[in-house]
Amino acid sequence: MIVDILHMDLHRWLRQPRSGNAYRASGGRDLKLKMTPEAARLDHRQMLRFMALNAAVGVLIGICVGAALILLDIGGLGARIGRAANPAVPVLLVVVPIASLFGAAAAASAILMMPYEKKFRDDEDDARGE
């Protein structure tokens, strides 16, 4: 008897109308509110801050990896830079690409894992321009 009741509740839940990620009540009314322009600005600032922080951490890790390559003399790189007439150029040619690569990878992963959801709008609302 309990199994039948749970089964009926599951079927009723599965038949309920939905729109994107938003649940629509049986009356067809949206439970989400529209985002105000100020709330949207604040939300965009938070997203950009989140991405910039992740990119900066990635660049810092890239600088550490480049410095470790030179200091640990991986492949004789540190010895070659030590014998160079102008060691700043080879150091920059090693560290800058690695730092930018790590920073870009961290920013890309931040975009993929961004803790952002369409908080107040529906996909259908965006398509209709409301």
Side-chain angles (χ1 to χ4, degrees), residues 11-40:
H11 280 291
R12 189 177 314 129
W13 179 77
L14 289 173
R15 284 187 300 232
Q16 288 177 344
R18 296 179 204 330
S19 171
N21 291 336
Y23 170 79
R24 289 188 179 261
S26 59
R29 218 177 58 226
D30 276 336
L31 297 178
K32 290 186 174 185
L33 303 172
K34 298 205 186 276
M35 188 179 278
T36 63
E38 184 58 36

Side-chain angles (χ1 to χ4, degrees), residues 3-85:
V3 173
D4 291 333
I5 293 171
L6 291 174
H7 187 69
M8 288 177 15
D9 285 341
L10 178 64
H11 280 291
R12 189 177 314 129
W13 179 77
L14 289 173
R15 284 187 300 232
Q16 288 177 344
R18 296 179 204 330
S19 171
N21 291 336
Y23 170 79
R24 289 188 179 261
S26 59
R29 218 177 58 226
D30 276 336
L31 297 178
K32 290 186 174 185
L33 303 172
K34 298 205 186 276
M35 188 179 278
T36 63
E38 184 58 36
R41 261 185 244 109
L42 178 65
D43 196 43
H44 289 297
R45 284 187 197 120
Q46 289 173 346
M47 284 191 303
L48 289 174
R49 205 173 303 126
F50 177 75
M51 286 176 42
L53 178 67
N54 278 286
V57 168
V59 167
L60 183 64
I61 292 171
I63 290 171
C64 291
V65 167
L69 283 174
I70 295 168
L71 294 175
L72 295 175
D73 200 21
I74 305 292
L77 188 61
R80 289 179 187 267
I81 290 175
R83 288 190 304 265

